[in-house]
Structure formats: C-alpha cells, structure tokens
Amino acid sequence: MTKTMIRDFSQTKAMFQMPADMIYLDGNSLGPLPRAAAARIADCVTREWGEMVITGWNRAGWMAQPTTYADRIGRLIGAEPGHIVLGDTLSVKVYQALAAALDLVPDRRVILTDSGNFPSDIYMAEGLIRSLDRGYELRVVAPEDVADHIDSDLAVLMLTQVDYRTGRMHDMAALTQKAHDAGAIAIWDLAHSAGALPVDVAGCGADFAVGCTYKYLNGGPGAPAFIYVAPRHIARCQPALSGWLGHAAPFAFEPGYRPGTGIERMRVGTPPVLQLAALDAALNIWDQVDLHDIRAASVALTDQFIAGIEASCPMLILASPRDPAARGSQVSFRFADGYAAMQACIAQGVVGDFRAPDIMRFGFTPLFIDAGDVARAVAIIAKVMNDRLWDRAEFQQKAAVT
Amino acid sequence: MTKTMIRDFSQTKAMFQMPADMIYLDGNSLGPLPRAAAARIADCVTREWGEMVITGWNRAGWMAQPTTYADRIGRLIGAEPGHIVLGDTLSVKVYQALAAALDLVPDRRVILTDSGNFPSDIYMAEGLIRSLDRGYELRVVAPEDVADHIDSDLAVLMLTQVDYRTGRMHDMAALTQKAHDAGAIAIWDLAHSAGALPVDVAGCGADFAVGCTYKYLNGGPGAPAFIYVAPRHIARCQPALSGWLGHAAPFAFEPGYRPGTGIERMRVGTPPVLQLAALDAALNIWDQVDLHDIRAASVALTDQFIAGIEASCPMLILASPRDPAARGSQVSFRFADGYAAMQACIAQGVVGDFRAPDIMRFGFTPLFIDAGDVARAVAIIAKVMNDRLWDRAEFQQKAAVT
C-alpha cells in the first residue's frame, strides 16, 4: 500500500453521498454512493467508451480490471495476489466454485450447507445437482449443527460465513479444518464478510471463496462478484462455465477450449466495464483502511445498538448473537409484524430491511455510520415501536422487493 | 410505438459521440457512446443510487428493467413480448439455452454447430458436455455443410446466424424448419444480428435465441446479454443456473428452488443496473427506427465498400458473401499480413478489427456510418494498402487484444 491509511472514519464518511434525512443501516444490502464514483464513471463513459471505443479494452485497461481490481479485494479477505477474479454475479460464482469443488472429490456425493445460507446458494446447488444427475445429495442443517455433520461422506462444505438473516458467524478456520480432516472441500461465501470484518481465506485454508461487491464493498447496484481459488487447486479446476475470457488465449479464437493458466480460467464473458468503474472508486476508499480498524468500530456500533434497542424496545427480540465474536456487522431483531415495523422505520428515516418471516435487519458500516447515527437510529426506532407507528395500513401492505 | 420513427439516419448519427478523426467501422464489436447515455448513467448514479440507495430496486425500477428493456430488444428480433430477458453475459446465456434445450430432447446426444460459430459458444458447449458426462457429442462442421448434417440423431442445432469472421449469414427460417423436421431444437445466437438486420425469431420458430447488447445495439462495454425462449417451451425449462432472481418468489427466501412462471426463470442474479442505464439510452434510439430501413442502408453501405475496396486494393480478397442476402452487416477481407494492415488502418483513422488468422473485418452501422464515411474509409484503406504503410515494425507487433 502506497497510500496513507485512514484511521479516523469521519474522513471516510465524508467520501460518501448519503441521502438527506436518512440513517442508512442497509449498507449490508447495497452500499451507498462513494462521491468519487460519479466522476470515475463519467470518465469511463465519456472519455473511455466515448473517445476510445473498442480500443478501451487495452488503452483504458478494461480487460485487465477483473484481476487487478480483484486483488484489491484480495487484500481485504486474505487472498494470495493473483488468485481472485471479478465477474458475473455471486450466484454464478457459487455455481463455478461448487462444480469445480465436486470435481476435486469425484468419489463422494454429499454437499453440506446450513439453513442460514443465502437461498440463491442453495438454489444454484440444487440446479447443479439436478443437471449432473449423479446422485448428489444436498444436506441442509441448522447453522449450529454444521460441525456435527462433517463426516467422511462429505464432498463439499458450502457455507456463507455470516448468516444473512441473523448475522451469526461461523468459525471459518475451524470448520475448514474439520472439512479437510474429513477429506472434503470447503467453499465460503463472503457476501456478508468482505468489507465487514477481517477474513483470511489463505490462513484458514479455504479451498474456494466467493462474494459480492455491492454490499459492504460499496461497488453499486449490479456490481460484479468475485471468486477465489486456493493456489493448490487451480491447475486441476476444469471450469464448468468455460467461456472465452477464461481461455488460455481468448483472442486466438481457437476451435477448442484450453483453460487459462491461473485464476483467469474462472472468467467467463465480457467484463461489466461501467460497474467496474464504480467499483474502482469504491475500492479507492477500501485501499486506505485496515479491516481490523473497521471490525473494532463495527463491534462498538453493534454493541451500542443492541444495548440501545434492548433498553427501549422490549418487544424486539435479539436474533443475532450477543457475543460480538460470533456476530458479523449486522444486528437483527425478531418481531411478528416486522415487515410493517421496518416500513415505519424507513418512513421515519432509519433504513434497514426485512427478511421473512420476522427479521428486522440493520447493518453497521463504520466507513459511513458512526455512534451519533446509531444513537439517533435507536431513538427513532424506539418511537416507531413504542408509539406503534407501524400499525398503520400504509405499512402493512407487502411490497415485492424490500 | 408511440414515438415518431426516424427514417433519416443523419438524425441518429447526431445522437452518437464519435471520436474525432476516426471512421468507426467496429460497431459490430463495440458500439459507440449514445450522447444521451452520459446523462442517463449520471442520473442513475447520483439520483438513483445516490439518493434512493436500496429503495432504487423498486423506486427506480431496477428490478424490472431486465424484462422491460428486453422487450424493446424483442421488437427488433421478432420476439413475443414477455419472452425475452436481459442479464449475465452471452456465454452464460448460451449455457442456459443449451442446458435447457438438451433437457427437451432427453433421448438424443448430438449437438451440431459450425466452425464459424463464435468460439465462446463452442467452449461453453464443451464445458457443459464435460460436466454432464452423458455421452453428448459436439459436431462442428463447415458453415455451408450444416444443412446436410441435420438428421434424426440431432438433439440441438446451435448456430450463430451471422459468422463473426466472414459475415456469412445462415438462413435461419430454413435451418430451423429442417431441425424441427428432424425432431431437434434450434438455438440461435444473434450477436451479429440484433440491430444489424431484421430478425423474426417467432416467425422462424426459433426455440431459443441469445445475443449481446454491446455490439450493434450500442449498450456499452460490458452491457448484458439477452435470452429468448419460445413460449411453447418455457414451462418445461428447468434452469440449470437456478438463481434466486429466477425463483417464483425471490424475496420469500424459500428453502427450495421453484422456477418463475415465465421467462423470469432465466434470470440468475442481481441485474447490472449501471449497464442497464446505458442500454436504456441506447434503446431510446432503437425504439425510433425500423430494422428494414437499417437493413436497406446497411446493404447499400456494404455494397459500396466492397466495390470501392475491390476497385482499389487488388491484394485484399473478399471473405464475405458477395450476395447481400447472404451477408450480415459486416465486410471482411483476407490478407496474409492482415493484423499489421489493420493496425495501419487504425493509425490512419479507419477502425475495424482483425480476426485470426488473416481476416480484416469492417462493420457497417447505418445509425452512425454513412456513405461519405465509407468513401473516406475506402480512400484511406487504399492508401494504407497500396503505399504498404502496414509494412512497418510498429504495426507488426501483435497485441493481446485487438
């Protein structure tokens, strides 16, 4: 890192455009706009696309960005440089990782995940299992029971480190070790980890890791996903999605597929250049912060929030682990009428989100949320809950997307 | 269509930002910037993402754009409204189409394509065949021999309508009919057709069609792909890439996958919102033109180009069909030192591209290229070729991306 690291997050807070009169506790779903992104994207559009047109692939560096930008994310998750690449969506990256992982343990048929995994990860596994039609079994157990189900039948352990509903965090190092001891492969989805807390995929021995960049990383709506493959596996990974940009020589237009030598083989098609420009601006902020500082601030904010809500809103039942060491960077509460309650909070300027059936979810993102925001959010939520502002017809109707 | 249709393409030409001193004959590889895109993208960034943040999924309509924008492309390719959707890259859409097509003919094992298909289509088929491990065979024949290889063994005919190197165009209606007569399924890649010429996927009876939006459609670098599934098939398509946004109720977060009722099931993950904003601006132009007008202008431009080059550059051998009815909207010439020659043309301001081993390729896009451009391009190319400007060391070095 050549840049000076920022330790005072009031500096990073000023780098984001935050909507007026809004306390945004949903950066775990979609990060806000880094102010510098507007100019970076405009430059990509008018100068790169507009003036360079096709030559932008080389002259503006578009073709290389999926690997060069990915390495900046790699620093945040402990990936060895050159072993992570951006592209596609997280669901597609899950598919690639699982297909490659199953190839590595051809004599086993069990995939283990937990009921707290994001549904799309489970859906993609279902689809792959159906397509392969080779007797694979997807075992879905409760998060706390995962360790007990790792045995010598297991082909692949596929987990999201931080539960999207509760914020419960798996012990990535211990579960990976246990999977390896059983002869299995471990895939980690870092959707709610990357940019939320320090991750060390290499140190944990993770075999594959995937994640998205539009949540804590603030890459913007539709930002691409990433995939990490441990260096020891890459040469044996035959990509299921063997697209031309994963070919050893994409522009030779050879008649047959030859995978690229390294992580490049996990590329598929044309990179999303405009989304990458936005991500570049977001990563310029991440390049200047240390995840340990982020984690310390996050724990302080989540602890403050839990204490504040529990002191003022007895009807809200904590759904997240009380122990910060077992918790990601979000806090969830259960409330039977949680959908309406969250709509009422949003109407009052506190933006979190709702996850069925009864979870009110709040994300804490120290880059742009501070203790004053948390205190104000607690006061507003307390008013919504104690004055029953949610018990109005306008908040009771269910939207398609929340 | 509520808008007045534009028949005079000098009006559309003014809607594009063209680099100074450049005749851009590469819109078949990456379309230029529609001037209105800059403001549309900036609005998406600063107002939608910046002010709405997470609420943009509903309030700005992001979640619906993959289908609503797709229907505007559907008009250009003759798709029934509601049966086309945007997302991912073309390679991924090829994979989805082929996986679903193979499911429809479970007792057959042959996939037929031609050597003029874009390599990524072939690579994706290879990867799918390898994953399925069920004895599928990919037969690759010469473009002109395709019809003779359609027989009762055939499961899927998978072709790109317009050859990316030569511009040779298949008879989509006839080959589809022949495939159907043989009991096979037809998948058409419209990468070099959509926006280049009138296409009628419904009228031809195509079973699946896929394409990209960054070439003739001018959606920008990294613009998403599209997939069309004939209405008669969609209910039986079990998506191989069964992501959450293809689920019947994505935000119910159900534990198991249930495909959406229609084309929505071919969605996978989060849509690329910034890319879709760019595409929206590009489609605002397409909404106002008739493909039959485009085709007439395109044929005139390509005829003019062929005549001009053949009259002035005897060393260039026409690689495209001379009959415009058998040709897409590009013209290719063979030349042994074609890479260097194209570099020299580009240095002189005529931008086409090179495709191995010896193809100099020029795309003709009436929205922003006119007869005057073609006359100027011919004069420059003639100078490059006859003065042997390409025979300089600076043009002989091969770049990674051209």
Side-chain angles (χ1 to χ4, degrees):
Chain A
M1 305 304 301
T2 52
K3 291 175 178 170
T4 306
M5 299 300 271
I6 297 173
R7 309 201 84 99
D8 169 7
F9 294 134
S10 69
Q11 290 181 42
T12 58
K13 185 171 186 165
M15 295 176 179
F16 289 90
Q17 174 181 325
M18 302 303 297
D21 306 320
M22 187 190 288
I23 302 170
Y24 192 65
L25 304 183
D26 212 8
N28 53 323
S29 188
L30 177 66
L33 173 65
R35 290 183 189 279
R40 173 69 178 86
I41 296 164
D43 183 66
C44 178
V45 171
T46 56
R47 189 179 60 85
E48 295 179 4
W49 177 13
E51 295 180 20
M52 299 180 189
V53 215
I54 190 70
T55 65
W57 288 111
N58 281 326
R59 286 170 61 203
W62 298 340
M63 196 52 80
Q65 288 166 359
T67 46
T68 56
Y69 292 180
D71 276 338
R72 296 156 71 187
I73 296 167
R75 183 184 74 85
L76 306 177
I77 64 165
E80 301 91 338
H83 295 279
I84 177 172
V85 68
L86 285 155
D88 306 297
T89 63
L90 179 48
S91 296
V92 169
K93 271 14 207 172
V94 166
Y95 187 88
Q96 285 185 295
L98 184 56
L102 291 174
D103 268 355
L104 294 174
V105 277
D107 54 336
R108 297 190 182 191
R109 288 292 176 272
V110 176
I111 301 161
L112 178 64
T113 189
D114 70 36
S115 56
N117 201 349
F118 190 66
S120 201
D121 295 38
I122 292 175
Y123 301 161
M124 294 303 283
E126 283 184 60
L128 180 61
I129 288 171
R130 190 188 59 76
S131 293
L132 296 180
D133 192 22
R134 230 171 276 159
Y136 285 107
E137 179 197 344
L138 181 65
R139 282 188 196 154
V140 184
V141 302
E144 57 273 20
D145 295 338
V146 166
D148 292 342
H149 284 79
I150 296 174
D151 57 30
S152 57
D153 284 345
L154 189 60
V156 175
L157 176 66
M158 182 186 84
L159 295 171
T160 296
Q161 187 189 14
V162 176
D163 187 308
Y164 77 107
R165 282 175 305 196
T166 64
R168 181 189 185 280
M169 181 162 60
H170 282 298
D171 185 333
M172 192 169 152
L175 288 173
T176 301
Q177 185 61 54
K178 188 152 189 185
H180 288 174
D181 291 347
I185 294 287
I187 299 173
W188 289 97
D189 180 338
L190 304 177
H192 293 270
S193 307
L197 43 96
V199 179
D200 186 3
V201 291
C204 290
D207 300 287
F208 295 85
V210 294
C212 62
T213 64
Y214 52 76
K215 294 179 183 289
Y216 292 95
L217 295 178
N218 309 311
F226 63 82
I227 185 167
Y228 161 83
V229 181
R232 63 186 176 280
H233 293 312
I234 191 67
R236 290 198 297 149
C237 283
Q238 281 289 333
L241 300 176
S242 43
W244 70 310
L245 289 187
H247 193 283
F251 289 90
F253 299 105
E254 295 175 3
Y257 183 75
R258 285 190 297 130
T261 50
I263 192 69
E264 293 270 359
R265 68 177 61 182
M266 302 312 266
R267 292 176 70 156
V268 184
T270 309
V273 171
L274 305 185
Q275 307 284 167
L276 285 164
L279 180 60
D280 180 33
L283 291 176
N284 280 339
I285 301 174
W286 282 111
D287 289 344
Q288 304 176 66
V289 297
D290 185 313
L291 258 298
H292 295 89
D293 294 340
I294 291 283
R295 177 65 172 164
S298 158
V299 167
L301 294 175
T302 52
D303 277 349
Q304 176 194 353
F305 185 74
I306 292 170
I309 294 294
E310 291 196 324
S312 60
C313 304
M315 72 293 284
L316 297 183
I317 306 305
L318 184 66
S320 298
R322 195 172 297 281
D323 174 9
R327 194 170 70 214
S329 199
Q330 72 179 68
V331 175
S332 300
F333 287 93
R334 295 190 190 282
F335 181 61
D337 224 343
Y339 176 80
M342 184 54 80
Q343 295 308 305
C345 288
I346 292 170
Q348 295 291 318
V350 175
V351 175
D353 57 25
F354 172 77
R355 287 294 175 258
D358 61 354
I359 293 277
M360 298 174 69
R361 185 175 78 154
F362 303 91
F364 296 86
T365 44
L367 283 186
F368 53 84
I369 291 294
D370 61 26
D373 295 319
V374 172
R376 281 187 292 279
V378 167
I380 291 168
I381 295 167
K383 178 176 171 60
V384 166
M385 299 310 301
N386 290 296
D387 293 358
R388 298 180 62 91
L389 298 186
W390 50 269
D391 197 12
R392 295 178 181 172
E394 68 196 271
F395 300 133
Q396 295 281 340
Q397 196 175 351
K398 203 128 182 169
V401 182
T402 58
Chain B
M1 304 304 301
T2 53
K3 291 176 180 170
T4 305
M5 300 300 271
I6 298 173
R7 307 201 86 99
D8 169 7
F9 294 135
S10 70
Q11 290 180 43
T12 58
K13 185 169 186 167
M15 295 176 180
F16 289 89
Q17 175 181 326
M18 302 303 297
D21 305 319
M22 186 189 288
I23 302 171
Y24 191 66
L25 303 183
D26 210 10
N28 53 324
S29 188
L30 176 67
L33 174 66
R35 290 182 189 279
R40 173 68 179 86
I41 296 164
D43 183 66
C44 178
V45 171
T46 57
R47 188 179 61 85
E48 294 180 3
W49 177 13
E51 293 179 20
M52 300 180 187
V53 213
I54 190 70
T55 65
W57 288 110
N58 282 326
R59 286 169 61 202
W62 298 339
M63 197 52 81
Q65 288 166 358
T67 46
T68 57
Y69 292 180
D71 276 337
R72 296 157 71 188
I73 296 167
R75 182 183 75 86
L76 306 177
I77 64 164
E80 301 90 339
H83 295 279
I84 176 172
V85 68
L86 286 155
D88 307 298
T89 62
L90 179 48
S91 296
V92 169
K93 271 15 206 172
V94 167
Y95 187 88
Q96 286 186 293
L98 184 57
L102 292 175
D103 268 355
L104 294 174
V105 276
D107 53 335
R108 297 191 181 189
R109 288 291 177 273
V110 176
I111 301 161
L112 178 64
T113 190
D114 71 36
S115 56
N117 201 350
F118 190 67
S120 201
D121 295 38
I122 292 175
Y123 302 161
M124 293 303 284
E126 283 184 58
L128 180 61
I129 287 171
R130 191 188 59 75
S131 292
L132 295 180
D133 193 21
R134 231 171 276 159
Y136 285 108
E137 178 198 344
L138 181 65
R139 282 189 197 153
V140 184
V141 302
E144 59 272 22
D145 296 338
V146 165
D148 292 341
H149 284 80
I150 296 175
D151 58 30
S152 58
D153 285 344
L154 189 61
V156 175
L157 176 66
M158 182 185 86
L159 295 172
T160 296
Q161 187 189 12
V162 177
D163 188 307
Y164 76 107
R165 281 174 305 194
T166 64
R168 180 189 185 281
M169 181 160 61
H170 281 298
D171 184 334
M172 192 168 152
L175 288 173
T176 301
Q177 185 61 54
K178 187 152 192 186
H180 288 173
D181 291 345
I185 294 287
I187 300 174
W188 288 97
D189 180 338
L190 304 176
H192 293 271
S193 308
L197 43 95
V199 179
D200 186 3
V201 292
C204 290
D207 300 287
F208 295 85
V210 294
C212 62
T213 64
Y214 52 76
K215 294 180 182 288
Y216 292 94
L217 295 178
N218 309 310
F226 63 81
I227 185 167
Y228 161 83
V229 181
R232 64 186 175 279
H233 293 312
I234 190 69
R236 290 198 296 150
C237 283
Q238 281 289 334
L241 300 176
S242 43
W244 71 308
L245 290 187
H247 193 284
F251 290 89
F253 300 105
E254 295 175 3
Y257 183 74
R258 285 189 298 129
T261 50
I263 193 68
E264 292 271 359
R265 69 178 60 183
M266 302 311 267
R267 294 177 68 156
V268 184
T270 309
V273 171
L274 305 186
Q275 307 283 167
L276 285 163
L279 180 60
D280 181 33
L283 291 176
N284 281 339
I285 301 174
W286 282 110
D287 289 344
Q288 304 175 67
V289 298
D290 185 312
L291 260 295
H292 295 89
D293 293 340
I294 291 282
R295 177 64 173 166
S298 158
V299 167
L301 294 175
T302 52
D303 278 349
Q304 177 193 352
F305 186 74
I306 291 171
I309 293 293
E310 291 196 325
S312 60
C313 303
M315 71 293 284
L316 296 183
I317 307 304
L318 184 65
S320 299
R322 194 173 298 280
D323 174 7
R327 191 170 72 213
S329 199
Q330 71 179 67
V331 174
S332 299
F333 286 94
R334 295 189 191 283
F335 182 62
D337 222 344
Y339 177 79
M342 183 55 79
Q343 295 308 304
C345 289
I346 293 170
Q348 295 292 317
V350 175
V351 176
D353 56 25
F354 173 77
R355 287 293 175 261
D358 61 356
I359 293 277
M360 297 174 70
R361 186 174 77 156
F362 302 91
F364 295 86
T365 45
L367 284 187
F368 53 84
I369 290 295
D370 60 25
D373 294 322
V374 171
R376 280 187 292 278
V378 167
I380 291 168
I381 295 167
K383 180 176 169 61
V384 166
M385 298 311 301
N386 290 296
D387 293 357
R388 297 180 63 90
L389 298 186
W390 49 269
D391 198 12
R392 295 178 181 171
E394 68 197 90
F395 300 133
Q396 295 281 340
Q397 194 174 353
K398 202 129 182 168
V401 182
T402 58

